[in-house]
Amino acid sequence: RWLTCKSLPPGALESIADTIADRLRVPWFSGAVKINVSLVPPLVLLPVFLHVAALHFLLGLIILTSLPVVVLWYYYLTHRRKERTLFFLSLGLFSLGYMYYLFLREVVPRGHVEYSQVVVLTCGLILMLAALSRAKKDPGYLPISASNEKPLHQGLPNKSVRGSSSGLHGISGAASSRAVNGEAKGYCRMSAEQPEGVKKDWCTKCQLVRPARAGHCRLCGRCVRRLDHHCVWINSCVGEHNHQAFILALSFFMLTSVYGITLTLHTICRGRTPFVALFYCPGAYSDYSSALSFTCVWYCAIVTAGMGYILLIQLLNISYNVTEREARLALRDNTGRRLLGGLVIDTGQYNRGLLCNWGHFLSLGSAPPQRSAEDIV
């Protein structure tokens, strides 16, 4: 039909794409293993783009400028369709592995990098992967029990239940009705008493009453304790149980990436500071090896800048004890204050000072969540 310029029936392209994705399998001993289509583009396109960008300065400028645009376009495409994808996770992991491989192959043989520096860089990479593995675990999903779904739903009066199919409703009532989960002893404590007349935060999807600061993730289809956001880079939610590991993984990535960029620039641009060499390195394109290393440095710099912005927002939110979900709701309802040029939204609900806020964050997951009377009944 396409060759003869005939119209396609509705849904034909989606059906073809689904069929190709289902048939894309690799033979294995226990049977053919299905390959996720989103894993393929980073593995194929990233090395090709980087090697093409190393051929000429203008090619590098065009490719390195278009890559972030393509990644952002794909993010908004999947986010609008409410789809989970392994594209960003595979892009991040493959970028780490490929950059480390090129560093050992192109930079270390030049003789300007010491063995101890390679060991430090390798340890930073291992620590980052370990923190990332921990961040990939359970973020704090609320259990869904078939035995208590119906009683919970029937036992709550209609006037005290607020429907929340998207998980983004009722934050003001829920925030003031429950104590903060995981609040450790020795730090500032908030009132655990529930004021009268406060509406419950009922999730119609999971059929349960959520504790304070919990939210429903539309991509995972589950309610998460102290939901911060769904991170596409780890293909999982960031919640009460893995928020610390998420911050740790970002921190290790920033330190390791900046250290690797510095070592590479000191090797291919001798006698210049890393910041100056990043923008002015006359001998970078004198040979293909130097051009490829310089291109990878700029690729790492772009990724590091993006991750650094995410880490900055996270640290500011922790300092004001606000989650990304709560900030988004505050902006929607116009109930928060913009601080530091709009980098952080202070809702004023859980902010108890810098030290108390960080103490609360460091104690996340250390104490078992308190069960309310409604949950027990």
Side-chain angles (χ1 to χ4, degrees):
R1 287 178 175 267
W2 178 71
L3 292 175
T4 56
C5 298
K6 295 181 179 179
S7 61
L8 294 175
L13 294 179
E14 291 79 2
S15 177
I16 293 173
D18 293 340
T19 303
I20 294 176
D22 181 69
R23 298 297 187 271
L24 189 61
R25 300 172 183 264
V26 174
W28 200 246
F29 299 101
S30 58
V33 178
K34 185 178 179 180
I35 300 178
N36 196 311
V37 180
S38 60
L39 295 174
V40 179
L43 304 181
V44 177
L45 297 180
L46 181 62
V48 173
F49 284 161
L50 290 179
H51 281 275
V52 172
L55 295 176
H56 195 271
F57 171 75
L58 293 179
L59 288 175
L61 182 62
I62 294 174
I63 291 178
L64 293 177
T65 304
S66 60
L67 276 179
V69 177
V70 174
V71 171
L72 288 176
W73 169 81
Y74 187 74
Y75 166 74
Y76 285 113
L77 181 65
T78 54
H79 186 73
R80 186 176 68 252
R81 295 180 178 179
K82 303 179 183 180
E83 298 177 355
R84 297 188 65 180
T85 176
L86 294 174
F87 173 83
F88 300 97
L89 178 61
S90 62
L91 176 62
L93 292 178
F94 183 68
S95 297
L96 288 173
Y98 193 64
M99 294 301 104
Y100 184 71
Y101 164 75
L102 290 180
F103 178 80
L104 297 179
R105 179 182 174 181
E106 304 293 343
V107 180
V108 175
R110 294 174 179 264
H112 300 293
V113 179
E114 299 178 359
Y115 176 76
S116 59
Q117 294 174 324
V118 178
V119 172
V120 171
L121 185 67
T122 305
C123 291
L125 184 62
I126 294 175
L127 291 174
M128 193 277 297
L129 292 176
L132 181 62
S133 176
R134 174 61 185 87
K136 281 285 296 175
K137 295 183 179 179
D138 180 17
Y141 291 122
L142 290 175
I144 302 177
S145 177
S147 61
N148 62 5
E149 284 181 4
K150 188 174 181 180
L152 273 176
H153 182 67
Q154 293 181 349
L156 289 174
N158 292 333
K159 63 180 180 179
S160 65
V161 176
R162 177 178 295 185
S164 179
S165 60
S166 62
L168 299 179
H169 301 287
I171 185 63
S172 59
S176 59
S177 62
R178 304 289 177 86
V180 178
N181 294 324
E183 186 77 37
K185 295 181 179 180
Y187 297 108
C188 302
R189 300 181 62 87
M190 303 173 196
S191 176
E193 298 180 359
Q194 180 174 312
E196 296 181 0
V198 176
K199 296 182 179 180
K200 306 297 187 298
D201 193 10
W202 172 260
C203 179
T204 59
K205 296 292 184 180
C206 299
Q207 295 293 297
L208 52 80
V209 178
R210 296 181 297 207
R213 312 190 77 175
H216 185 88
C217 177
R218 62 179 184 176
L219 297 179
C220 296
R222 296 283 299 276
C223 284
V224 181
R225 294 185 181 275
R226 197 184 178 275
L227 175 63
D228 189 85
H229 70 288
H230 182 94
C231 181
V232 296
W233 294 105
I234 64 175
N235 194 32
S236 178
C237 288
V238 176
E240 182 178 284
H241 291 174
N242 68 341
H243 201 171
Q244 296 174 353
F246 179 73
I247 296 297
L248 199 61
L250 281 176
S251 302
F252 278 129
F253 171 80
M254 291 295 298
L255 295 175
T256 305
S257 180
V258 171
Y259 188 63
I261 291 174
T262 303
L263 292 178
T264 304
L265 289 177
H266 276 313
T267 301
I268 62 178
C269 300
R270 304 288 295 174
R272 289 182 173 83
T273 60
F275 183 78
V276 174
L278 189 62
F279 295 95
Y280 181 71
C281 186
Y285 285 86
S286 58
D287 58 277
Y288 186 76
S289 177
S290 298
L292 181 60
S293 300
F294 189 71
T295 302
C296 292
V297 162
W298 260 104
Y299 174 73
C300 292
I302 294 174
V303 176
T304 303
M307 295 301 170
Y309 176 77
I310 296 176
L311 180 59
L312 176 62
I313 297 300
Q314 286 290 314
L315 296 179
L316 290 176
N317 286 343
I318 294 171
S319 300
Y320 286 89
N321 200 359
V322 63
T323 64
E324 281 291 320
R325 173 177 176 269
E326 293 167 352
R328 187 169 61 250
L329 290 173
L331 286 178
R332 186 195 66 182
D333 300 333
N334 196 22
T335 57
R337 295 185 305 150
R338 291 179 178 268
L339 302 176
L340 303 178
L343 290 178
V344 64
I345 307 299
D346 183 18
T347 60
Q349 293 176 328
Y350 301 97
N351 187 5
R352 297 298 182 270
L354 180 65
L355 295 180
C356 185
N357 293 338
W358 273 96
H360 167 64
F361 173 76
L362 296 177
S363 66
L364 288 179
S366 60
Q370 299 178 354
R371 298 184 64 185
S372 62
E374 295 87 1
D375 296 334
I376 297 176
V377 174

